[in-house]
């Protein structure tokens, strides 16, 4: 008989016999239900000798697994025939697992082929055999008889079973997470069977208690979960087998994930097996040099000269003092986490992590253990994420954003000193005519996008910069033009390799001045940028996650100067060799990240960089219908000095020592390319469009700038 399908119910009072004089099968599947005497009745399987009775929960043995049905009965009693209960269902998760409450008694066979089944009733009167050929069998009650776990089968739970044999490929996992399974009789592991051990966050571990002998036979021990809330710096021990006697030994235990920093071992007594977990030791220090033992010099025999006078000279020689060599101190042990680091930044972050406090239950210990449980590749990935290197990498980008102020001011002075020499006209003032003799106001909008490649230590960084500047200038004397500027900019930086990003809002102020001394042009200026920085990082490795943010201020101060020599080439064109020098100082305020255990803190710091540029500028002015069209181009070579590689000194808020990481460096040598076109759209108004590119082996930036000048 088959009871299948949701809503299908077979309900009877008293008891139900399956197999009395012949063979019979009852299958309960797909949500069907069988109830005997409202859950208090008995199902009798194979009641008479030579009869066969089979109860299938799900599908029959050997068939494709099917969803289980429900059986509401107090007891399954095996009779004198061949009775079998088969569990072959599809509930493979804890939520879909089958909870089987009826008790089982008598001599029959239990077969577990598929699905996760919890046995919760009292089956201590069962005297038959249990075969676990697949799926998960959790015994939370009591099961008598003998059990065999075949390859692919898994026995677990917190109850009691009879004598048990684990075949090669079978798994024993006491508890349903953490717990003790009791074996009433002998427990026999086969070679290549597995014993899985979990460790809870309260110091408990999985354990198996055996009333008879535990035959270990070289079975594997796998520690599948460690305690994240306890310190392992001084090691921890856990009892995993308690038996009447222990015979043989397990294979060497392994840790889940293959921790690069922990070692595990087993110790044995006649009745117990203990699991030991401890950190790996640091490389042994070099043996100190043995001090040199001082030696006593051989006395010098006095020399008696030939008698000239009756005076005998006896020389006295000082006894030299031999100072023993002082042995060098032994090298400090390498911090545990640093042993897995592959880059300078990884080693720096690892040194900070090594010093996290070991307070039980603290967030710092949870982070420490997340690293401690990792294998070497995952640890290196964690070091990169935790290093906070993006805080260093955005410093050169803030410097680059500030340089738009200097470039705009310099180009503005170039425009003010443009030669408008019509063909055939006489040169004016040494071939220099002032394009503007009064006050001129201007507006410039700029945008740039670029990236700096990683260097094997720091990851690459992408940047997008935009903003505007306004200013006005005029002649303070006949030859000296001065001006003021102000503006606002926004920049976004992305270090995708470290799941980090930053947004910077900047307010700029500055002044600039220039003069023409015949063909020589001199320009200088100074500016300051007030920056508001917001950073965000995501951390995810192993089972650890965190999201971190910070907000702080920085300020960019810069001074710049340029000298050029104008060479007229006729027809309203000229070329000008030039030299430019700029100094940029970035002062960054300290900050404390908001978030969890991976949060970092930093103090104030300063980054100073100097840039020199040598190159050639070209310009041509062409009157068109009473208006002027001015085209210009610049080609230069820029060299960076000073703090080319940005650094940040950080420490974990949770505790531990500070460490210093470096970001993506400023390119040492960069080609500078600019092209511009300006047109008089009115007698007193000029509109310009410029392209600027910076190309280096490890970095590139491309930008555009639009300007509008209005003369008064």
């Amino acid at each position: 008989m088959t009871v299948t399908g949701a809503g299908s119910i077979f309900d009877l009072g008293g008891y139900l016999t399956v197999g009395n004089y012949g063979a019979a099968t009852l299958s309960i599947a797909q949500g069907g239900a069988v109830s005997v005497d409202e859950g208090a009745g008995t199902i009798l399987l194979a009641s008479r000798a030579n009869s066969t009775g089979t109860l299938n929960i799900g599908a029959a043995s050997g068939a494709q697994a099917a969803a289980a049905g429900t059986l509401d009965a107090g007891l399954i009693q095996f009779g004198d025939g061949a009775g079998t209960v088969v569990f072959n269902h599809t509930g493979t998760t804890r939520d879909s697992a089958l909870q089987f409450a009826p008790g089982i008694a008598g001599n029959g066979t239990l077969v577990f082929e598929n699905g996760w089944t919890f046995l919760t009733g009292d089956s201590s009167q069962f005297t038959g055999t249990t075969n676990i050929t697949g799926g998960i069998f959790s015994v939370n009650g009591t099961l008598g008889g003998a059990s065999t776990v075949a390859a692919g089968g898994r026995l677990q739970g917190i109850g009691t079973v009879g004598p048990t044999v684990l075949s090669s490929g079978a798994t024993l996992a006491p508890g349903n997470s953490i717990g003790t399974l009791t074996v009433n009789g002998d427990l026999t592991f086969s070679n290549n069977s597995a014993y899985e051990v979990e460790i809870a966050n309260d110091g408990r571990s999985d354990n198996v208690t055996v009333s008879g002998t535990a035959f270990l036979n070289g079975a594997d021990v796998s520690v599948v979960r460690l305690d994240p809330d306890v310190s392992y710096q001084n090691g921890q021990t856990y009892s995993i087998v308690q038996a009447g006697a222990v015979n043989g030994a397990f294979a060497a235990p392994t840790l889940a994930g293959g921790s690069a920093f922990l070692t595990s071992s087993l110790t044995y007594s006649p009745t117990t097996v203990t699991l030991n977990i401890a950190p790996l030791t640091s490389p042994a220090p070099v043996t100190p040099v043995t001090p040199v033992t001082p030696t006593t010099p051989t006395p010098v025999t006095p020399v008696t000269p030939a008698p000239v006078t009756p005076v005998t000279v006896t020389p006295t020689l000082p006894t030299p003092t031999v100072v023993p060599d002082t042995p060098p101190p032994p090298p400090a042990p390498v911090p545990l986490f640093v042993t897995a680091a592959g880059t300078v930044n990884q080693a720096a972050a690892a040194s900070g992590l090594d010093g996290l406090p070991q307070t039980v239950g603290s967030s710092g210990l949870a982070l420490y253990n997340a690293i401690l449980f990792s294998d070497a590749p995952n640890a290196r990935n964690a070091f990169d994420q935790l290093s906070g290197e993006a805080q260093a990498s955005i410093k050169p980008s803030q410097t680059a954003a500030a340089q738009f102020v200097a470039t705009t001011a310099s180009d503005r002075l170039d425009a003010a000193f443009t030669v408008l020499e019509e063909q055939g006209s006489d040169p004016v003032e040494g071939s220099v005519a002032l394009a503007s003799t009064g006050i001129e106001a201007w507006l410039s909008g700029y945008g740039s996008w670029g990236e700096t490649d990683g260097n094997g230590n720091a990851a690459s960084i992408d940047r997008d910069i935009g903003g505007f500047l306004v200013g006005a200038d005029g002649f303070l004397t006949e030859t000296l033009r001065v001006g003021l500027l102000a503006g606002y900019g926004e920049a976004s930086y992305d270090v995708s390799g470290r799941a980090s990003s930053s947004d910077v809002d900047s307010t700029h102020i500055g002044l600039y001045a220039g003069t023409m001394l015949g063909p020589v042009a001199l320009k200088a200026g100074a500016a300051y940028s007030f920056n508001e920085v917001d950073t965000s990082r995501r951390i995810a490795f192993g089972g650890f996650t965190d999201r971190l943010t910070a907000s702080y201020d920085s300020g960019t101060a810069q001074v710049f100067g340029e000298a050029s020599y104008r060479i007229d080439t006729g027809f309203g064109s000229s070329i000008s060799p030039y030299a430019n020098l700029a100094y940029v100082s970035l002062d960054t305020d300290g900050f404390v990240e908001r978030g969890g255990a991976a949060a970092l803190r930093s103090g104030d710091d300063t980054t100073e960089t100097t840039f020199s540029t040598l190159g050639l500028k070209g310009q041509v002015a062409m009157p068109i219908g009473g208006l002027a069209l001015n085209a210009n181009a610049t080609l230069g070579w820029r060299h960076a000095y000073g703090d080319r590689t940005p650094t940040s000194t950080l420490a974990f808020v949770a505790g531990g020592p500070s460490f210093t990481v470096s970001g993506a460096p400023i390119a040492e040598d960069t080609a500078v390319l600019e092209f511009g076109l300006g047109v008089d759209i009115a007698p007193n108004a000029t509109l310009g469009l410029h392209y600027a590119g910076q190309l280096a082996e490890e970095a590139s930036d491309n930008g555009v700038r639009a300007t509008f000048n209005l003369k008064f």
Side-chain angles (χ1 to χ4, degrees):
M1 181 174 67
T2 299
V3 181
T4 183
S8 298
I9 301 174
F10 179 50
D11 190 355
L12 73 161
Y15 65 92
L16 171 65
T17 300
V18 180
N20 191 9
Y21 291 98
T25 299
L26 171 62
S27 296
I28 311 171
Q30 304 293 347
V34 172
S35 177
V36 182
D37 199 14
E38 298 181 348
T42 298
I43 294 181
L44 181 60
L45 292 179
S47 63
R48 297 178 182 273
N50 299 319
S51 66
T52 301
T54 302
L55 172 62
N56 296 322
I57 306 298
S61 177
Q64 183 175 354
T70 58
L71 174 62
D72 188 17
L75 177 67
I76 296 175
Q77 176 69 55
F78 288 101
D80 295 332
T84 304
V85 180
V86 176
F87 296 86
N88 185 15
H89 60 89
T90 57
T92 57
T93 66
R94 182 179 290 273
D95 290 339
S96 63
L98 173 66
Q99 303 289 333
F100 194 79
I104 303 172
N107 185 5
T109 303
L110 304 179
V111 179
F112 295 85
E113 293 188 357
N114 287 291
W116 190 344
T117 303
F118 284 87
L119 184 70
T120 59
D122 180 7
S123 299
S124 58
Q125 300 305 306
F126 176 67
T127 58
T129 59
T130 299
N131 297 315
I132 307 163
T133 61
I136 302 172
F137 181 34
S138 292
V139 179
N140 288 348
T142 303
L143 177 65
S147 297
T148 300
V149 188
R154 181 182 181 93
L155 173 62
Q156 60 183 53
I158 56 174
T160 300
V161 296
T164 299
V165 175
L166 287 101
S167 304
S168 177
T171 300
L172 176 69
N176 298 304
S177 176
I178 304 293
T180 297
L181 181 67
T182 299
V183 178
N184 188 11
D186 292 340
L187 172 62
T188 303
F189 290 92
S190 297
N191 189 29
N192 293 324
S193 62
Y195 180 17
E196 286 189 2
V197 178
E198 290 184 87
I199 298 172
N201 57 7
D202 57 3
R204 295 180 300 124
S205 70
D206 285 339
N207 185 40
V208 60
T209 299
V210 182
S211 65
T213 300
F215 296 92
L216 307 183
N217 295 321
D220 299 324
V221 174
S222 177
V223 182
V224 297
R225 192 173 76 112
L226 292 165
D227 181 356
D229 297 328
V230 70
S231 173
Y232 287 90
Q233 279 195 341
N234 296 320
Q236 296 288 339
T237 60
Y238 304 93
S239 175
I240 62 172
V241 175
Q242 293 177 314
V246 172
N247 183 285
F250 288 116
T254 60
L255 300 178
S259 170
F261 311 107
L262 289 174
T263 181
S264 58
S265 62
L266 298 171
T267 54
Y268 300 86
S269 79
T271 59
T272 63
V273 180
T274 301
L275 171 67
N276 311 294
I277 299 176
L280 292 167
T281 56
S282 298
V286 178
T287 303
V289 178
T290 302
V292 177
T293 303
T295 57
T296 303
T298 303
V300 178
T301 303
V303 178
T304 304
V308 177
T309 61
V311 177
T312 302
V313 179
T314 304
T316 301
L317 298 178
T319 301
T321 302
V322 178
V323 179
D325 292 337
T326 301
V334 177
L336 180 62
F337 291 157
V338 175
T339 59
T343 68
V344 174
N345 278 356
Q346 289 174 7
S351 67
L353 290 160
D354 257 308
L356 285 171
Q358 299 295 300
T359 305
V360 174
S362 67
S363 61
L365 179 59
L367 173 58
Y368 181 93
N369 282 346
I371 301 292
L372 191 68
F373 302 163
S374 300
D375 61 14
N378 284 321
R380 287 190 283 270
N381 174 45
F383 297 154
D384 280 333
Q385 294 186 52
L386 295 165
S387 69
E389 73 173 53
Q391 301 290 357
S393 289
I394 65 172
K395 293 179 179 179
S397 295
Q398 292 182 70
T399 297
Q403 286 180 314
F404 276 100
V405 178
T407 300
T408 301
S410 178
D411 289 349
R412 165 63 203 134
L413 289 170
D414 281 341
F417 293 140
T418 299
V419 171
L420 297 176
E421 181 182 343
E422 297 181 2
Q423 293 186 10
S425 64
D426 294 330
V428 179
E429 302 213 8
S431 298
V432 176
L434 301 179
S436 175
T437 58
I439 295 176
E440 186 168 347
W442 54 269
L443 168 67
S444 177
Y446 59 86
S448 174
W449 60 97
E451 68 173 341
T452 299
D453 295 338
N455 59 359
N457 182 41
S460 61
I461 180 171
D462 296 324
R463 52 188 165 269
D464 292 291
I465 302 170
F468 67 89
L469 294 165
V470 295
D473 52 62
F475 278 97
L476 188 64
T477 68
E478 290 186 357
T479 59
L480 178 63
R481 192 172 187 92
V482 297
L484 299 173
L485 62 81
Y488 174 80
E490 293 182 348
S492 61
Y493 309 109
D494 185 18
V495 186
S496 58
R498 303 292 181 260
S500 303
S501 61
S502 304
D503 294 311
V504 180
D505 296 336
S506 302
T507 301
H508 311 293
I509 58 172
L511 55 88
Y512 56 94
T515 186
M516 296 290 292
L517 303 175
V520 177
L522 300 176
K523 295 177 288 184
Y528 191 85
S529 301
F530 302 88
N531 308 312
E532 296 179 354
V533 183
D534 295 303
T535 66
S536 175
R537 299 191 295 136
R538 296 189 310 276
I539 310 295
F541 65 91
F544 182 88
T545 60
D546 208 347
R547 184 172 182 85
L548 308 160
T549 60
S551 297
Y552 55 92
D553 296 331
S554 67
T556 310
Q558 58 178 316
V559 292
F560 50 91
E562 182 177 300
S564 61
Y565 186 87
R566 184 186 186 91
I567 302 172
D568 291 322
T569 55
F571 302 100
S573 64
S574 65
I575 57 174
S576 301
Y578 76 97
N580 182 289
L581 188 65
Y583 166 79
V584 184
S585 176
L586 174 67
D587 292 320
T588 302
D589 290 350
F591 63 86
V592 177
E593 286 186 318
R594 300 175 295 274
L600 295 169
R601 57 181 172 85
S602 176
D604 300 350
D605 66 16
T606 299
T607 303
E608 299 177 310
T609 314
T610 301
F611 300 90
S612 65
T613 307
L614 299 175
L616 188 68
K617 296 183 179 183
Q619 175 266 336
V620 58
M622 297 171 288
I624 300 177
L627 301 178
L629 179 69
N630 183 57
N632 58 77
T634 299
L635 177 63
W637 166 69
R638 176 176 296 163
H639 187 77
Y641 310 84
D643 298 332
R644 287 185 49 247
T645 300
T647 61
S648 288
T649 299
L650 307 164
F652 288 98
V653 175
S658 61
F659 56 93
T660 300
V661 295
S662 58
I666 297 173
E668 184 175 18
D669 295 296
T670 304
V672 179
L673 305 172
E674 292 187 20
F675 304 97
L677 187 66
V679 61
D680 289 345
I681 57 175
N684 65 338
T686 303
L687 183 65
L689 184 64
H690 302 262
Y691 163 81
Q694 299 182 32
L695 304 175
E697 182 178 357
E698 62 274 17
S700 65
D701 285 274
N702 295 278
V704 294
R705 189 173 72 255
T707 60
F708 175 74
N709 301 329
L710 183 62
K711 305 171 187 177
F712 296 96

